[in-house]
């Protein structure tokens, strides 16, 4: 085990780092470790770690009174709220399996998920209750708790803990089953960042809890480090409260980074509260221009890599100034190798499989525990990992050559005038060619005619083409005046109309 991650922390905090393999043990650990520190807040009410754990114990008792059996599934349809966090932790610490449902799903999809996953109880926000009256399970309020407290259950680290949706941008979403050991390994990995991390951070959870990044890094890791977690039931309203909350650390996707940076340019750096020192971004490519932009504000923007099947956190990079396009080094107790260009990883962070889908599981998870990520990557001579594309996105040319669009896009993201871009196969007078659509960072062209904007990017394409193999060169350029269609995590969708 290398010292890269442990050396980020002060020595006394590195010595405190303890991997807790199950959620019941985790709750007991943080209640004792952080006790009277503030844990959860919605700005109106704040609960300490002791109070939070007491409330979770009362929620466990309520769930037990429903007559559920160990391993039964409890779905939660809630906003990013204190109720959602406490009900999720109560579910797992009672020995049940939690499923956090996206708030954007229509009611029929919620009912369909309950049927597909054999959900026994559905905890919903009170305002959602009428929408799921026909659910094939017990429907309860997400605010429910009993008058008594129930102790944590005894679970094995390999028992299923939660099911997260994944793969929804390319077809029907699959349910990735994370055992306790994986969920807690991802949460443990999230504790590593430069400088002191324990007992003083304020974090606003601007990512949905149904996304593994929002649940693991933005929530579980926050509790692991004794941080104060703020809810964001309404994302816009929560962003508006940043000057009051004064967060010290934020977990974001690059699209949200762009939004927050634009707001600081409009209202001044104090819009972020004046105490924000670090942002950790994931779930999509982090453009070097954003790293530089936040650095000018005195805020360090760090990048990493992970996927739902690996409990979110596989690698992290604190050396973004020296290696801005890398996703960093591999977190402790994991193995990563490159097989025919594809990233494979193994460790206690690995999922159990896809619920009810043995074929998809077999295609992704090998018998000896390796996850085939579907991502293309490479290591440099210093052991830093780089993502070079997705296997499913490969463009196969007429001559049989394979082109990774993400690899061709990489040099464009180094240009501060490029907000986003998309390389894909295009039609050019009946011929299939490699093309690129570019979304400009328009403040860079303020007052200039559109013809000059297009000319700038055509020249940029020529410069990039000069460094590409002839087969990989871009033959068609489209400069966009409208934003791309985006996924739920604000990534550019590769399925543009």
């Amino acid at each position: 085990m290398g010292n890269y991650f442990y050396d980020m922390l002060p020595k006394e905090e590195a010595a405190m780092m303890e991997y807790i393999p199950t959620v019941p043990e985790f709750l007991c650990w943080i209640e004792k470790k952080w006790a009277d520190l503030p844990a959860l807040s919605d700005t109106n009410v704040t609960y300490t770690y002791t109070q939070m754990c007491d409330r979770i114990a009362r929620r466990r008792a309520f769930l037990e009174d429903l007559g559920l059996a160990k391993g039964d599934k409890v779905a939660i349809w809630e906003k990013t709220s204190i109720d959602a966090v406490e009900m999720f932790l109560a579910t797992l610490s009672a020995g049940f399996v939690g499923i956090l449902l996206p708030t954007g799903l229509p009611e029929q999809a919620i009912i369909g998920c309950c049927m597909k996953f054999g959900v026994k109880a559905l905890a919903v926000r009170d305002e959602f209750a009428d929408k799921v009256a026909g659910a094939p399970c017990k429907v309860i309020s997400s605010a429910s708790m009993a008058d008594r407290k129930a102790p944590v259950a005894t679970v094995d680290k390999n028992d299923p803990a939660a099911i997260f949706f994944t793969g929804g941008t390319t077809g029907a979403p699959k349910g990735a089953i994370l055992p306790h050991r994986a969920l807690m390994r991802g949460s443990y990995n999230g504790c590593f960042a430069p400088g002191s991390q324990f007992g003083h951070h304020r974090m606003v959870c601007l990512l949905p809890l149904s996304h593994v990044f929002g649940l693991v890094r933005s929530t579980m890791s926050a509790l692991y480090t004794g941080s104060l977690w703020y809810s964001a039931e309404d994302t816009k309203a929560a962003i508006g409260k940043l000057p009051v909350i004064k967060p010290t650390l934020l977990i974001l996707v690059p699209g949200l980074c762009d939004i927050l940076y634009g707001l600081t340019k409009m209202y001044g750096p104090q819009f972020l509260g004046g105490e924000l020192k670090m942002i950790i971004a994931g779930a999509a490519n982090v453009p070097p221009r954003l790293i530089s932009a936040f650095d000018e504000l005195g805020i360090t923007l760090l990048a990493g890599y992970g996927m739902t099947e690996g409990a979110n956190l596989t690698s992290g990079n604190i050396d973004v100034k020296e290696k801005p396009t890398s996703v960093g080094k591999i977190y402790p107790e994991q193995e990563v190798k490159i097989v025919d260009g594809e990233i494979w990883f193994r460790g206690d962070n690995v999922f159990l499989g896809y619920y009810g889908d043995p074929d998809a599981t077999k295609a992704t998870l090998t018998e000896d525990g390796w996850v085939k990520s579907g991502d293309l990557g490479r290591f440099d001579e210093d052991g830093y990992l780089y993502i070079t594309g997705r296997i499913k996105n490969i463009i196969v040319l007429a001559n049989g050559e394979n082109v990774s669009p993400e690899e061709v896009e990489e040099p464009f993201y180094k240009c501060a005038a490029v907000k986003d871009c998309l390389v894909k196969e295009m039609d050019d007078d009946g011929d299939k060619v490699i093309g690129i659509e570019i979304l400009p960072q328009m403040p860079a062209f303020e007052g200039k005619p559109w013809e000059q904007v297009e000319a700038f990017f055509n020249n940029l394409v020529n410069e990039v083409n000069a460094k590409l193999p002839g087969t990989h060169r871009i033959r068609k350029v489209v400069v966009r005046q409208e934003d791309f269609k985006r996924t739920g995590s604000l990534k550019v969708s590769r399925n543009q109309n």
Side-chain angles (χ1 to χ4, degrees):
M1 179 174 61
N3 291 323
Y4 181 81
F5 291 97
Y6 290 96
D7 286 347
M8 296 179 186
L9 303 174
K11 289 184 178 180
E12 62 274 14
E13 292 190 10
M16 290 171 60
M17 287 295 293
E18 183 178 351
Y19 166 55
I20 313 296
T22 71
V23 171
E25 293 171 285
F26 171 70
L27 287 176
C28 296
W29 187 83
I30 61 174
E31 182 177 14
K32 181 179 179 181
K33 177 74 70 175
W34 307 125
D36 295 329
L37 290 181
L40 303 177
S41 179
D42 62 5
T43 70
N44 293 314
V45 63
T46 300
Y47 298 109
T48 66
Y49 277 83
T50 296
Q51 291 170 329
M52 177 189 74
C53 289
D54 283 349
R55 288 165 56 84
I56 291 171
R58 291 169 58 198
R59 292 177 186 275
R60 275 197 302 271
F62 179 86
L63 292 173
E64 287 182 0
D65 290 343
L66 295 177
L68 305 179
K70 182 180 179 180
D72 277 349
K73 300 171 190 68
V74 177
I76 301 165
W77 194 29
E78 246 287 2
K79 295 183 179 180
T80 305
S81 66
I82 292 175
D83 281 339
V85 172
E86 290 184 346
M87 186 59 79
F88 178 77
L89 291 173
T91 296
L92 274 59
S93 61
F96 309 131
V97 179
I99 307 173
L100 289 158
L101 299 171
T103 55
L105 286 180
E107 51 211 67
Q108 286 303 315
I110 296 295
I111 293 173
C113 286
C114 291
M115 296 175 63
K116 176 179 179 178
F117 295 108
V119 169
K120 298 298 184 181
L122 172 62
V124 302
R125 191 177 182 86
D126 289 344
E127 66 188 78
F128 298 163
D130 291 343
K131 299 179 180 180
V132 290
C137 59
K138 297 176 180 178
V139 178
I140 60 175
S141 168
S142 57
S144 299
M145 57 181 76
D147 293 331
R148 66 179 182 89
K149 295 189 290 186
V152 297
T154 299
V155 301
D156 185 85
K157 66 179 182 180
N158 292 307
D159 286 344
I163 299 175
F164 286 90
F165 296 112
T166 183
T169 60
T170 57
K174 301 184 289 289
I177 308 169
L178 293 183
H180 282 264
R181 58 167 167 76
L183 184 68
M184 293 313 307
R185 175 58 73 179
S187 305
Y188 175 86
N189 289 345
C191 298
F192 292 103
S196 178
Q197 300 301 313
F198 290 173
H200 61 82
H201 274 308
R202 293 185 300 279
M203 303 166 61
V204 185
C205 189
L206 295 174
L207 302 179
L209 295 173
S210 57
H211 191 290
V212 72
F213 196 32
L215 188 282
V216 171
R217 183 59 185 89
S218 197
T219 303
M220 294 293 286
S221 297
L223 300 178
Y224 221 132
T225 55
S227 301
L228 173 53
W229 179 97
Y230 282 89
S231 63
E233 297 181 17
D234 181 297
T235 302
K236 289 183 179 179
I239 289 175
K241 292 179 181 178
L242 294 181
V244 176
I245 294 173
K246 300 183 185 300
T248 59
L249 172 65
L250 288 176
I251 312 301
L252 304 173
V253 294
L256 272 176
C257 291
D258 246 329
I259 291 170
L260 291 189
Y261 181 71
L263 290 170
T264 62
K265 297 297 286 184
M266 188 181 302
Y267 298 111
Q270 289 303 310
F271 180 82
L272 298 178
E275 298 184 25
L276 182 63
K277 300 300 180 185
M278 188 182 306
I279 296 173
I280 297 174
N285 169 66
V286 179
R289 65 171 176 81
L290 278 177
I291 295 172
S292 298
F294 277 101
D295 186 58
E296 292 176 0
L297 298 175
I299 299 169
T300 301
L301 174 58
L302 303 179
Y305 166 72
M307 56 190 299
T308 304
E309 293 84 347
N312 185 230
L313 296 166
T314 293
S315 70
N317 182 16
I318 64 170
D319 302 309
V320 290
K321 291 184 180 180
E322 295 80 11
K323 296 178 182 286
T325 59
S326 172
V327 292
K329 292 197 172 186
I330 307 306
Y331 281 108
E333 305 301 324
Q334 296 179 56
E335 298 176 82
V336 173
K337 62 181 179 180
I338 309 296
V339 180
D340 296 327
E342 183 182 15
I343 300 170
W344 289 23
F345 60 86
R346 181 170 68 175
D348 49 18
N349 60 314
V350 165
F351 78 138
L352 296 174
Y354 298 113
Y355 183 85
D357 198 337
D359 291 338
T361 299
K362 186 176 181 180
T364 303
L365 185 62
T366 69
E367 291 184 359
D368 54 350
W370 289 96
V371 172
K372 304 176 185 179
S373 71
D375 291 313
L376 299 169
R378 63 177 177 84
F379 284 101
D380 69 12
E381 63 279 2
D382 298 317
Y384 289 81
L385 180 64
Y386 295 77
I387 308 301
T388 59
R390 287 284 290 168
I391 291 176
K392 67 185 180 185
N393 295 335
I394 289 291
I395 299 170
V396 181
L397 303 177
N399 63 0
E401 286 271 357
N402 290 341
V403 177
S404 166
E406 294 92 343
E407 200 164 9
V408 178
E409 290 162 5
E410 182 178 336
F412 290 95
Y413 278 111
K414 294 178 181 178
C415 175
V418 176
K419 183 173 183 178
D420 267 312
C421 64
L422 178 66
V423 169
K424 61 181 183 179
E425 194 172 48
M426 293 184 182
D427 183 83
D428 186 31
D429 292 331
D431 294 326
K432 295 294 183 181
V433 299
I434 296 176
I436 187 169
E437 294 186 21
I438 299 175
L439 180 66
Q441 192 73 18
M442 286 310 297
F445 301 97
E446 189 173 357
K448 295 183 179 179
W450 185 249
E451 292 77 11
Q452 287 188 26
V453 178
E454 291 184 311
F456 175 89
F457 289 111
N458 277 289
N459 288 334
L460 178 62
V461 168
N462 290 336
E463 292 173 10
V464 173
N465 273 344
K467 300 175 183 178
L468 292 173
T471 53
H472 289 52
R473 288 176 185 165
I474 295 165
R475 309 294 180 183
K476 187 172 182 178
V477 182
V478 176
V479 183
R480 297 179 66 102
Q481 298 188 57
E482 296 181 354
D483 196 5
F484 288 103
K485 183 172 72 173
R486 295 181 181 270
T487 68
S489 57
L490 301 182
K491 289 189 287 189
V492 173
S493 171
R494 293 205 170 265
N495 300 315
Q496 299 290 322
N497 293 329

